[in-house]
Amino acid sequence: MAKAETFDEEYDVVVAGAGSAGCIVASRLTEDPSTTLCLLEAGGRDRNPWIHIPLGFGKIVPKARYNWGYATEPEPGLNGRSIVWPRGKVLGGSGSINGLVFLRGAPSDFDEWERLGAHGWGYKDVLPYFKKSEHNEPGANAWRGQGGPMHISDIKNPSIPARAFVETATRLQIPPNPDFNGEKIDGVGMVQLNVRKGRRVSTAVGYLKPNLSRRNLTLKTGAQALRILFDGKRAVGIEIEQNGQKRRIHARREVILSGGSINSPVLLLASGVGPADELKTMSVDVVHDLPGVGKNLQDHLLVRMVFKTKIPGTLNEVSRSWAQSARMAMDYALKQSGQLAVGATEATMFVKSRPSEPVPDLQFQCANFSTEGAFKAGLHDFPGFMFNFCVCRPHSRGEIRLRDSEGRFPPKIHANYMTHDEDWRMMVAGWGIAKQIVATEPFKSLVSEQYLPGPDVKSEDDFKDYVRNNASTVYHPCSTCRMGVDERAVTSPDLKVRGLEGLRVVDASVMPMVPSSNIHPATIMIAEKASDMIRQDWQK
């Protein structure tokens, strides 16, 4: 039990985590000058120039300074391989190191959230917050917004492979889709990026930095949250470690966890909130028995298809030539275009694994470079490009557990990829579609050799072995503090931690189900909607 006189500082609100959600919550809640707020970030400021150059994510992710460096435990569905899970440890969080592809997911995803118990989070409820958050450079309409902090732009000059991918898909009767954040996600086309004039727009850039001069907003970087402080069943603050010193920060109104799908459940567990039996085995004093903490973990698993090519201009080739790299840099500097202004992918496609599916359940992405998947391995040493595909809404579920009683060491992450038969059915269907693309013009003519999977992968069993030995994450972990109304839900639809007072979670961990595509835009929406909900609660 923490007494007020033992605190070093006090504010109305303490937010743990200055990532994609935390930057928004801090910015929105401090629009009221009478509300004092302390925003905590374990990492540092986002001053590295490569953070702000879209293609720079490949240089930033391998650096421990900006990345928590998580990895899964040996995965039973992937031949015991451990999968690396980069998560942002810097102002802006994972939104400062991700691939910048801005896809919300299918409208039906959010109606499914509501069906699963997230009342008030159906598509009609969340669409206004998607629109509020964005400045869509091509223009506003019924589905898109303008005037918001997040600049969303088109790719100026898509690469030859990306254009060929789209044309090939249309020849295979896949309908073109000019806006995947519009009425539906079905079809093929170019993605949008959260980029303004060639520079990344994270929520740190779009929301937080313009408001850091507010007297009621305090940002602490290099401040790692150690545990939530409770007075009975009420959260009253957070203990942090900064510059080797521990400090206790009091929250008069609320403590808000925005550490993301790994760090938020870990902080809850280390603070005594979670499955009581598990906590006792870790010698953690139980504050509140909440069985769902760390459970329901979901992520997208992708399979790469890599191609050697004779066409000029793939990033593999450009990056190995001083002259071509110089031209690429000049193009970026003068026009804010070219490969440096592009993120992880250019073209995408959403299709159904079988005609009876109500909405697409497979996503494909095409990029003008190729890699084995581990950032430290770098690009292939031959001119090449790739596309990948994944199951949009996997059925496999994982969990996160403490490795030590204080949560100091990286937690045990069990993604449990490909442990559900339905995921295998959809993945095999994706392989069938992939083979059609490779065999169809104009994509076919770009390929001088299919590098991965190799010629030995012929049968369905061969393909499954390829998945087990080569598949990797799309970096979309979520749902470990799921909102809902059942006994396994961690948060209620107002994002309050069930059974406790003064404590909410606002980040991707509250998603009942992973969206069909990326999770970054949906995380932004959650933070915008949560900020309104919190202010409305206070007014009551």
Side-chain angles (χ1 to χ4, degrees):
M1 184 178 293
K3 297 299 182 183
E5 62 267 19
T6 66
F7 290 104
D8 300 293
E9 303 173 47
E10 70 173 20
Y11 304 84
D12 293 318
V13 184
V14 179
V15 179
S20 296
C23 287
I24 297 172
V25 172
S27 173
R28 290 302 191 194
L29 294 186
T30 55
E31 289 174 350
D32 177 358
S34 67
T35 298
T36 60
L37 183 146
C38 181
L39 178 61
L40 306 172
E41 171 54 43
R45 297 293 291 265
D46 56 340
R47 294 192 174 104
N48 189 312
W50 283 111
I51 289 176
H52 305 286
I53 297 172
L55 195 64
F57 71 93
K59 291 184 176 291
I60 289 294
V61 170
K63 297 183 182 295
R65 180 176 181 179
Y66 306 110
N67 179 3
W68 285 95
Y70 293 130
T72 71
E73 298 298 293
E75 288 292 327
L78 301 180
N79 282 351
R81 290 187 298 127
S82 174
I83 305 300
V84 174
W85 272 22
R87 294 286 91 195
K89 189 180 182 181
V90 63
L91 199 64
S94 295
S96 284
I97 70 170
N98 70 358
L100 300 105
V101 177
F102 205 83
L103 295 170
R104 299 172 179 173
S108 57
D109 291 340
F110 308 100
D111 292 333
E112 180 66 7
W113 284 15
E114 186 161 52
R115 190 191 70 79
L116 292 171
H119 302 317
W121 292 83
Y123 185 61
K124 70 180 188 305
D125 305 300
V126 303
L127 179 59
Y129 291 100
F130 277 122
K131 295 172 67 175
K132 179 182 179 180
S133 71
E134 74 175 15
H135 179 79
N136 184 46
E137 291 186 2
N141 56 32
W143 300 279
R144 307 305 300 271
Q146 274 196 320
M150 296 297 294
H151 281 250
I152 314 302
S153 60
D154 295 331
I155 295 171
K156 287 185 178 181
N157 186 25
S159 66
I160 293 173
R163 295 199 300 267
F165 181 87
V166 173
E167 184 177 345
T168 298
T170 58
R171 290 188 181 186
L172 292 170
Q173 306 305 308
I174 306 299
N177 188 334
D179 187 358
F180 294 98
N181 294 320
E183 185 177 8
K184 58 184 180 180
I185 64 169
D186 311 54
V188 65
M190 300 298 172
V191 300
Q192 287 190 307
L193 309 174
N194 48 292
V195 170
R196 179 177 182 268
K197 295 182 178 179
R199 291 176 63 84
R200 176 192 296 271
V201 181
S202 67
T203 61
V205 171
Y207 285 85
L208 185 66
K209 288 183 178 180
N211 301 308
L212 276 177
S213 61
R214 290 175 180 167
R215 293 184 178 182
N216 58 329
L217 172 56
T218 299
L219 170 65
K220 293 181 183 291
T221 57
Q224 184 162 348
L226 300 179
R227 64 189 179 101
I228 306 160
L229 303 172
F230 290 95
D231 186 350
K233 291 283 186 175
R234 181 174 184 82
V236 294
I238 290 186
E239 183 178 64
I240 69 168
E241 185 172 41
Q242 187 180 33
N243 299 322
Q245 301 294 317
K246 291 183 179 180
R247 296 182 66 80
R248 296 156 67 86
I249 303 178
H250 179 39
R252 288 184 291 260
R253 283 183 173 174
E254 290 199 20
V255 171
I256 299 173
L257 307 188
S258 295
S261 296
I262 301 174
N263 290 340
S264 284
V266 166
L267 185 57
L268 284 170
L269 293 168
S271 304
V273 180
D277 291 343
E278 289 181 20
L279 294 177
K280 289 174 183 176
T281 62
M282 297 298 299
S283 300
V284 176
D285 292 335
V286 178
V287 172
H288 182 54
D289 182 12
L290 199 56
V293 176
K295 312 303 182 188
N296 196 48
L297 174 62
Q298 299 167 47
D299 186 29
H300 289 134
L301 185 78
L302 68 78
V303 177
R304 286 180 175 83
M305 297 192 72
V306 174
F307 309 95
K308 293 183 178 181
T309 185
K310 293 181 180 178
I311 63 166
T314 72
L315 188 60
N316 295 16
E317 174 191 6
V318 171
S319 64
R320 284 172 168 76
S321 163
W322 284 104
Q324 292 189 63
S325 293
R327 284 197 295 270
M328 179 174 67
M330 189 66 69
D331 197 29
Y332 178 74
L334 296 178
K335 303 176 184 178
Q336 294 82 49
S337 67
Q339 199 67 48
L340 283 172
V342 177
T345 192
E346 297 176 76
T348 194
M349 178 174 75
F350 290 91
V351 291
K352 299 176 181 180
S353 63
R354 56 190 176 191
S356 60
E357 295 297 325
V359 291
D361 52 3
L362 292 167
Q363 182 188 7
F364 288 70
Q365 300 184 84
C366 183
N368 191 37
F369 59 87
S370 66
T371 177
E372 299 288 339
F375 281 93
K376 292 182 179 179
L379 303 181
H380 287 125
D381 61 2
F382 51 78
F385 62 95
M386 65 183 180
F387 68 74
N388 59 58
F389 57 95
C390 70
V391 173
C392 291
R393 296 172 298 280
H395 292 255
S396 300
R397 296 290 183 268
E399 65 176 357
I400 291 175
R401 294 191 178 208
L402 291 179
R403 192 177 300 274
D404 65 298
S405 61
E406 296 182 345
R408 290 277 193 163
F409 295 99
K412 295 178 179 180
I413 301 172
H414 301 271
N416 292 338
Y417 293 118
M418 305 307 293
T419 54
H420 195 288
D421 289 344
E422 186 65 6
D423 294 346
W424 278 115
R425 183 196 66 76
M426 290 182 281
M427 194 69 89
V428 169
W431 183 50
I433 296 168
K435 289 188 291 184
Q436 287 183 282
I437 293 171
V438 176
T440 303
E441 297 290 357
F443 195 93
K444 180 181 178 181
S445 292
L446 300 186
V447 178
S448 59
E449 178 186 338
Q450 182 172 311
Y451 180 72
L452 290 175
D456 55 326
V457 177
K458 298 177 181 178
S459 68
E460 182 177 314
D461 287 340
D462 293 338
F463 171 70
K464 288 182 176 180
D465 283 340
Y466 176 72
V467 172
R468 294 184 185 103
N469 292 321
N470 295 276
S472 60
T473 175
V474 198
Y475 316 112
H476 298 158
C478 61
S479 305
T480 49
C481 295
R482 175 177 67 87
M483 62 171 147
V485 293
D486 60 282
E487 290 303 310
R488 298 287 295 182
V490 176
T491 51
S492 51
D494 58 6
L495 306 189
K496 295 177 181 178
V497 177
R498 296 177 61 251
L500 296 172
E501 297 178 3
L503 182 62
R504 294 189 210 232
V505 182
V506 182
D507 57 32
S509 70
V510 304
M511 298 178 182
M513 181 188 73
V514 64
S516 295
S517 57
N518 307 64
I519 64 172
H520 189 221
T523 302
I524 292 169
M525 174 276 293
I526 287 169
E528 280 278 21
K529 191 173 190 301
S531 299
D532 268 5
M533 295 167 67
I534 292 167
R535 287 182 293 199
Q536 290 166 8
D537 271 3
W538 291 352
Q539 290 171 0
K540 293 176 184 177

